[in-house]
Amino acid sequence: MVSEAPADGTHLQVLRRLESGPRGLTEAEAAARLAAGGDNTPPAARPVSWPRLLLRGTRDPFTAVLLVLGLVSALVASWGTAAVILALVAVGVALRASGEHRADRSLAGLRALVAGTATVLRRPADGEPPRTREVPVADLVPGDVIRLGPGDLVPADVRLLRARGLTVHQSALTGESAPVAKSAAQNPDASDESHLCFQGAGVASGSATAVVLATGARTRIGAALDRPGPRGPSAFDRSVHGISWALIRFMLLTPPLVLMANAALRGRGLETLPFAVAVAVGLTPEMLPVIVTTCLARGAALLARTHGVIVKRLPALHDLGAIDVLCVDKTGTLTQDRPVVDRSLGPDGHDDPGALHWAAVNAWWSLQLAELPEPDTLDEALLEATAHPAAGGPEAYDGVDAVPHDPVRRLATVVLRGPRPGTHTLVVKGAVEDVLDRCSLAEGERDRLTALARREADGGLRLLAVATAQRPARTRPYTPADERGLTFRGLVAFRDTVAPEAAETLRGLLDRGVTVRVLTGDHPGTATRVCRELGWEPDRVVVGADPGPGPGPAAASRVVHARCTPADKARVVEDLRAAGHTVGFLGDGVNDAPALRAADVGIAPRSACAVARECADVVLGEKDLAAVGHAVTAGRHSSGNIASYLRVTLSSNLGNVLAMLTAGLLLPFLPMLPAQVLVQNLCFDAAQLAFAYDRPGPAALRRPAGLRPRSFLRFLTGFGALNAVADLATFGVLAVALHGPDAVDDEAVFHSAWFTENLLTQALVMVLLRTGRGGAGTGPVGRAAALLGAVGLLLPPSPLGARLGMTALPPAYYLLLTVVLGLYAPALRRGARGARGAR
């Protein structure tokens, strides 16, 4: 197998280093190189195996908490508890792995849309003539000679051997929005890449023959994939980590406290160990892996089905809901990557249709005479602007010859039959500086025209200059040497077309607390002009990765970063994350890969290059800001349901644990039997599965929905204490009011009363602490809460209740319980307003 060949030197030198030739490789040579070097496939495109997906699903802190509890339960011979916990862990891991597997399959389908064949020149054997054939892109090897035509994707990193009018779209690699001209230079400058094309670029016009330099992991795209770069924990990881460690501390503290208190005050030691384990289990949200995975998987499936958005990593859906800063580029996101003519200026700087007329003539006859299959975006805009020409339009002229655009001259020239017999008219258009260099101008005129062009460019416009010249007619071909002594005709200014839904989507994101930052490689004036057309006035325009405002209110200001390099984009994202923001980044090119990895959520469209899709956490059907808005909404719905579940289950469980610990010290018996604790916990957890199918109210969409551990845990502590007070107050009232054979100092009556009261208060908490609903009792959560309350009322007097050590309660208990719950509900409702601030 040959090693990767340097791209410098003459064509023959490069071919010799690759052990190839102008007629390509033989089939045997290609097969040997393919076997030795591997497929022409990006390394990250290979699917993740099921065992790795399952193992990855066990590495979150909550799953570790449940595994520890299951092990402790098994050690104290609580086999039922251990079996239930381990079953829940298995279900959660399986759901998470299957969701990621579905995302991988969807991405494989996306890759198949891009993967195709390449036209390669190969010989059946030595001494036989070469044949042109189509082979799968994955079968290309270094040394293959390939042919490129309009619409082709460059299948590998290649060196051009011959090229005619070749331009390629390489925005995915460099961020350049306009097609770039390429040429087959024999002795190229080492710093110039105009003789090279890279995997992932698309041929816009022209044709070429090229030799493959590198494939697979050795391409520029492959090298980017092999440098994964560190990514810190995401917003979801940080939130879960903080809450999990708080739970672990409570769990580690609870069993020793229960054992020591009962041993010291009641003389009960190891016999209370099952109760202590049951209390610790009661503090833990066993259904969390199932509910979190189900919420995220349902949201991801809905996004894929309705908006074509694929979530590759399920926690990224939560992070989408938590985004408070979204970084986007300009081209294709805020604009349609389709320029339109803004104005046409004469040499005096005033409006003059003549410049537009001659530019359109040049575009039309370049398309006809230079054998271009289609105009580039600027030529297309010129032809659209003159789509209804009067007499004397581009078609009215008679084209003779053309000198196509090339990257060195930055000019395109057409030759027309002149207005007088025996004359030709040259029409030249291109970059302002290059056209002016070839014009005959009076002293100081060049400086004036350069200043005019600079002023227009600073206003956010792209410019083409136009010039003409009259020459005697001739038969020999025209060359770039004839582009001299021109008469300057004027400037044509172009502006980007704003995406139709971008303005509305931007307003929607801003109204929902998401600040948008624009990161673009364009001129500051161009970026500012587009933002203003969208009604989004920037507070600040900076060049590159200027730190901008620091943390605090100014950090959320509207900032445009112009002239950004890939490193600048990544630095902006990292700085924002370091300031405490949850950052999303929308990009589609190789140059966006560092920023996609650095963001909490990397977002790429389906049309993005392979590197960007592999680095992204979310893949959009189209590069459309509206799709990002839909994804953020879905993320907030899922995050709102997860936040509701966590608030409800942890505050209620914490209240029950505090009440049990207190009651255990005051009562001559255990406040609840271990089996009763477990049944109550399982009933509550089963009811809370409804949160995975709930739809939070509009309040859940008004601001980012991240789980902030500190404020979250402060809220849990307050509500846990409120629940504990409600539990203890209930039995204080009952102890005073109920006497005789049904008094609450009877163990069975106490256990039954507490079981019923717990499930009824938990049903109230489910309804009143839902995200953004403010106490509405409809939907799956309302129905589940009603069913939970019914279980609390009906289970104690049932035969199953008797087997669990419970009994029927006296009618007076229900009357007193109604009074207590009537006082508890308003207090819970008032506290529920604070619940919305705990997100």
Side-chain angles (χ1 to χ4, degrees):
M1 174 66 189
V2 300
S3 59
E4 179 185 342
D8 57 332
T10 65
H11 299 334
L12 185 58
Q13 289 171 337
V14 171
L15 288 169
R16 283 176 176 172
R17 283 196 291 265
L18 288 165
E19 300 177 17
S20 182
R23 300 194 304 162
L25 302 173
T26 66
E27 294 291 352
E29 288 171 337
R33 295 185 184 190
L34 183 64
D39 292 347
N40 179 29
T41 307
R46 297 176 178 85
V48 181
S49 64
W50 268 105
R52 289 188 63 187
L53 285 174
L54 292 171
L55 180 62
R56 205 156 62 187
T58 63
R59 289 189 293 187
D60 67 278
F62 280 123
T63 301
V65 168
L66 292 176
L67 287 172
V68 170
L69 276 178
L71 180 61
V72 171
S73 300
L75 291 176
V76 298
S78 294
W79 303 112
T81 303
V84 170
I85 293 174
L86 294 177
L88 291 174
V89 169
V91 170
V93 169
L95 283 173
R96 187 179 293 112
S98 63
E100 294 189 9
H101 177 66
R102 284 195 299 270
D104 281 343
R105 289 182 58 189
S106 299
L107 283 173
L110 295 179
R111 295 187 194 103
L113 294 177
V114 178
T117 60
T119 304
V120 65
L121 200 65
R122 283 185 182 168
R123 294 170 289 147
D126 283 331
E128 296 192 27
R131 299 177 184 176
T132 301
R133 53 177 295 221
E134 296 289 319
V135 302
V137 167
D139 291 349
L140 287 180
V141 296
D144 265 329
V145 175
I146 64 171
R147 289 179 176 168
L148 299 172
D152 288 345
L153 282 177
V154 179
D157 289 358
V158 301
R159 160 77 182 261
L160 297 175
L161 302 177
R162 290 185 296 278
R164 179 175 174 81
L166 183 68
T167 62
V168 299
H169 290 288
Q170 57 182 33
S171 59
L173 297 149
T174 63
E176 298 167 283
S177 57
V180 177
K182 297 288 185 177
S183 60
Q186 269 286 352
N187 289 288
D189 191 312
S191 61
D192 185 20
E193 293 186 338
S194 62
H195 61 297
L196 302 175
C197 292
F198 300 100
Q199 186 178 41
V203 178
S205 63
S207 59
T209 301
V211 60
V212 174
L213 298 176
T215 60
R218 293 172 294 278
T219 63
R220 183 167 292 189
I221 283 180
L225 283 173
D226 277 343
R227 293 193 299 270
R231 174 191 280 194
S234 68
F236 182 79
D237 297 330
R238 295 193 299 269
S239 300
V240 169
H241 181 81
I243 296 172
S244 297
W245 277 108
L247 280 180
I248 291 171
R249 293 187 189 101
F250 272 118
M251 289 167 46
L252 294 177
L253 193 60
T254 298
L257 282 178
V258 173
L259 291 174
M260 289 188 295
N262 278 275
L265 299 179
R266 297 294 177 184
R268 298 189 296 260
L270 290 178
E271 63 268 23
T272 62
L273 183 58
F275 173 71
V277 172
V279 169
V281 171
L283 182 62
T284 305
E286 295 95 335
M287 298 300 293
L288 183 65
V290 176
I291 290 177
V292 167
T293 304
T294 305
C295 284
L296 298 178
R298 290 189 74 248
L302 184 64
L303 270 177
R305 186 169 61 252
T306 58
H307 300 294
V309 177
I310 296 172
V311 180
K312 294 170 55 181
R313 181 177 61 86
L314 285 181
L317 187 60
H318 164 274
D319 295 344
L320 277 169
I323 285 175
D324 61 348
V325 179
L326 177 65
C327 297
V328 301
D329 62 358
K330 176 185 69 67
T331 305
T333 304
L334 304 181
T335 65
Q336 291 184 313
D337 197 14
R338 185 174 62 84
V340 296
V341 173
D342 183 79
R343 58 194 303 200
S344 175
L345 303 175
D348 58 359
H350 295 100
D351 289 341
D352 182 354
L356 175 61
H357 168 78
W358 287 115
V361 169
N362 180 287
W364 173 264
W365 285 105
S366 290
L367 188 66
Q368 307 302 317
L369 299 174
E371 300 180 2
L372 302 177
E374 59 182 21
D376 66 17
T377 54
L378 295 183
D379 283 351
E380 194 172 48
L382 290 169
L383 296 176
E384 285 183 3
T386 55
H388 305 288
E395 303 94 329
Y397 292 89
D398 188 6
V400 175
D401 197 3
V403 183
H405 182 278
D406 72 50
V408 178
R409 292 166 40 246
R410 299 194 299 171
L411 300 173
T413 298
V414 297
V415 182
L416 313 172
R417 295 194 188 280
R420 296 186 304 276
T423 63
H424 284 166
T425 300
L426 273 68
V427 183
V428 181
K429 71 170 171 52
V432 175
E433 298 86 350
D434 296 273
V435 171
L436 291 177
D437 284 344
R438 290 161 175 80
C439 289
S440 298
L441 299 171
E443 184 177 354
E445 185 70 3
R446 176 185 170 84
D447 292 339
R448 185 186 67 82
L449 293 173
T450 301
L452 170 65
R454 186 182 303 112
R455 187 166 58 250
E456 294 295 320
D458 289 342
L461 298 174
R462 297 166 62 183
L463 299 173
L464 281 178
V466 188
T468 63
Q470 298 296 320
R471 299 281 190 269
R474 73 188 196 199
T475 56
R476 72 177 188 276
Y478 283 80
T479 69
D482 295 300
E483 299 166 341
R484 53 184 173 76
L486 307 177
T487 301
F488 185 73
R489 291 289 187 173
L491 301 171
V492 180
F494 301 83
R495 58 180 171 82
D496 289 324
T497 307
V498 174
E501 298 179 359
E504 182 180 352
T505 305
L506 267 178
R507 286 193 298 270
L509 289 171
L510 294 171
D511 290 342
R512 285 181 279 171
V514 179
T515 298
V516 177
R517 286 205 177 194
V518 178
L519 279 59
T520 178
D522 277 339
H523 188 282
T526 303
T528 303
R529 182 187 183 95
V530 168
C531 292
R532 286 173 178 163
E533 288 183 8
L534 291 169
W536 188 82
E537 182 68 31
D539 297 326
R540 188 177 180 192
V541 180
V542 298
V543 174
D546 186 287
S557 60
R558 303 174 181 182
V559 181
V560 173
H561 295 264
R563 301 296 192 196
C564 275
T565 66
D568 289 335
K569 294 180 181 181
R571 182 183 163 195
V572 170
V573 171
E574 290 164 356
D575 288 346
L576 287 168
R577 291 190 69 198
H581 295 282
T582 302
V583 184
F585 181 86
L586 173 60
D588 61 355
V590 172
N591 59 319
D592 294 322
L596 286 167
R597 292 192 186 102
D600 289 288
V601 186
I603 308 168
R606 184 179 67 182
S607 58
C609 69
V611 175
R613 288 202 310 272
E614 296 298 337
C615 292
D617 303 301
V618 177
V619 178
L620 308 178
E622 301 292 339
K623 191 177 183 182
D624 181 7
L625 202 59
V628 179
H630 294 311
V632 168
T633 299
R636 292 191 181 181
H637 279 162
S638 298
S639 297
N641 287 340
I642 294 170
S644 289
Y645 168 76
L646 283 172
R647 281 198 302 271
V648 168
T649 191
L650 294 181
S651 61
S652 181
N653 288 352
L654 180 60
N656 288 340
V657 167
L658 294 175
M660 285 185 187
L661 292 176
T662 305
L665 300 178
L666 299 176
L667 295 173
F669 50 81
L670 292 176
M672 193 173 286
L673 299 177
Q676 294 166 352
V677 174
L678 187 59
V679 169
Q680 172 195 281
N681 200 39
L682 290 177
C683 290
F684 187 34
D685 283 337
Q688 289 180 103
L689 282 172
F691 281 116
Y693 302 89
D694 194 25
R695 185 175 181 83
L701 306 179
R702 291 174 188 160
R703 58 177 177 170
L707 303 174
R708 298 171 179 86
R710 290 187 179 179
S711 59
F712 198 89
L713 292 172
R714 281 197 301 269
F715 166 78
L716 297 183
T717 303
F719 262 82
L722 177 62
N723 289 339
V725 169
D727 288 345
L728 296 173
T730 299
F731 290 101
V733 171
L734 296 176
V736 173
L738 295 182
H739 302 281
D742 295 326
V744 293
D745 57 357
D746 179 85
E747 187 173 345
V749 173
F750 186 93
H751 291 163
S752 303
W754 200 334
F755 185 89
T756 298
E757 187 268 347
N758 272 341
L759 290 190
L760 289 176
T761 55
Q762 287 170 337
L764 274 177
V765 170
M766 283 181 63
V767 171
L768 295 178
L769 295 190
R770 293 167 63 201
T771 297
R773 287 289 186 181
T778 58
V781 171
R783 292 190 291 270
L787 183 60
L788 181 64
V791 171
L793 293 169
L794 300 177
L795 184 60
S798 70
L800 179 58
R803 295 187 62 181
L804 292 172
M806 293 186 287
T807 185
L809 294 169
Y813 168 79
Y814 298 106
L815 178 61
L816 291 170
L817 180 59
T818 302
V819 174
V820 173
L821 293 178
L823 297 173
Y824 173 64
L828 190 64
R829 185 186 295 272
R830 283 195 298 272
R833 297 189 184 99
R836 296 164 209 152
R839 302 206 318 269

